[in-house]
Amino acid sequence: MSKNKVLQPNFKLSFLLPQYWLTWLGVIILYAISWLPYKVQLALGRSVGRLLLKIASSRKKVALRNLELCFPEMSDSERQRILKENFENTGIALFETGMGWWWPDWRIKRKFTITGLEHIEAAKADGQGVLLLAMHYLSAEIIGRGFGHAHPLVIFYRPHNNQLMEFFQFRGRGRSNKYMLGKRDVKGLIKALRDKESCLYLPDQDYGRNRSLFVPHFAVKETATTTGTLIFARQKETKTMMMIPKRKEDGSGYTVEITPPLTNFPTDNDENDVLRVNQEVEKAILRKPEQYMWLHRRFKTRPNIDDPSLYK
């Protein structure tokens, strides 16, 4: 393992100081709610999401603008439907965080149906590391916990700025997975792939101009798209696959699909390769667009510094 591997944060007496009291209150409430029946939490989440739609005007504008940019041909009424359901799913995601962090194993396992695991197993049997490409689905916290029970992962992630939240986040995400690496530990993830681990990487956000190419994503012709994916996919004896989650419409749980390895990927053409990643992400998002995290300003970085923002 990398010497830069994120070390499990320890509890600090400073966490009891007043600056953390609001965090403690939120954590305690979330923990208590996590023990309610699953469908009750779904209903509560939808209610919270409807409230957020009314009061979180800046995030509402970002989400709606993303939908306008990605689906210009879509009717206003259809975009409004997706927006409403997206905020309901955002509210549900809050409670799914509590489920993912604190539910007992038996309760998590019975909510998950996983398909395509044989693709990972075949790669492992062939002595390959596996790079799983996922996207920012709102149910990511519980998805990571549930999938880890079937196949523990090495997770590339962004540590929380609030140290107390990072304490809980790290433990929650690590309950069923191998270990986590901070988002800057590129060498650590490369080493994990060389050690034939299965590694989770999310290439679908705007990480700035550095190590990015501008290629189409949905209807936006020039979208900053990270080339970091290619650094990992090009490691020897590494297979790249898509990980596609979904919350079931009947409220019974979750499905996670692992696709067969991407063929002829990567190539020696960076632009074509990152475009292909975007296309794979698009296909996954279109399965359940209302469950994707549209609240992120995906198109904030423009090809030229002087280009006007797409969010004004």
Side-chain angles (χ1 to χ4, degrees), residues 253-264:
Y254 308 84
T255 63
V256 182
E257 177 189 349
I258 303 301
T259 68
L262 300 182
T263 56
N264 193 31

Side-chain angles (χ1 to χ4, degrees), residues 25-37 41 98 102 107:
L25 178 62
V27 166
I28 291 169
I29 292 173
L30 189 61
Y31 176 79
I33 291 174
S34 73
W35 290 97
L36 293 175
Q41 294 189 64
W102 295 306
R107 199 174 180 188

Side-chain angles (χ1 to χ4, degrees), residues 1 8 15 22 51 96-99 103 117 121 126 132 139 155 167 217 220 224 229 263 273 311:
M1 295 181 186
Q8 179 169 305
F15 290 160
L22 281 178
L51 177 61
E96 286 173 330
T97 297
M99 301 176 208
W103 265 14
L117 199 58
E121 293 170 345
D126 197 31
L132 287 176
S139 52
I155 298 176
F167 174 80
H217 182 48
V220 181
T229 311
T263 56
D273 287 341
Y311 294 95

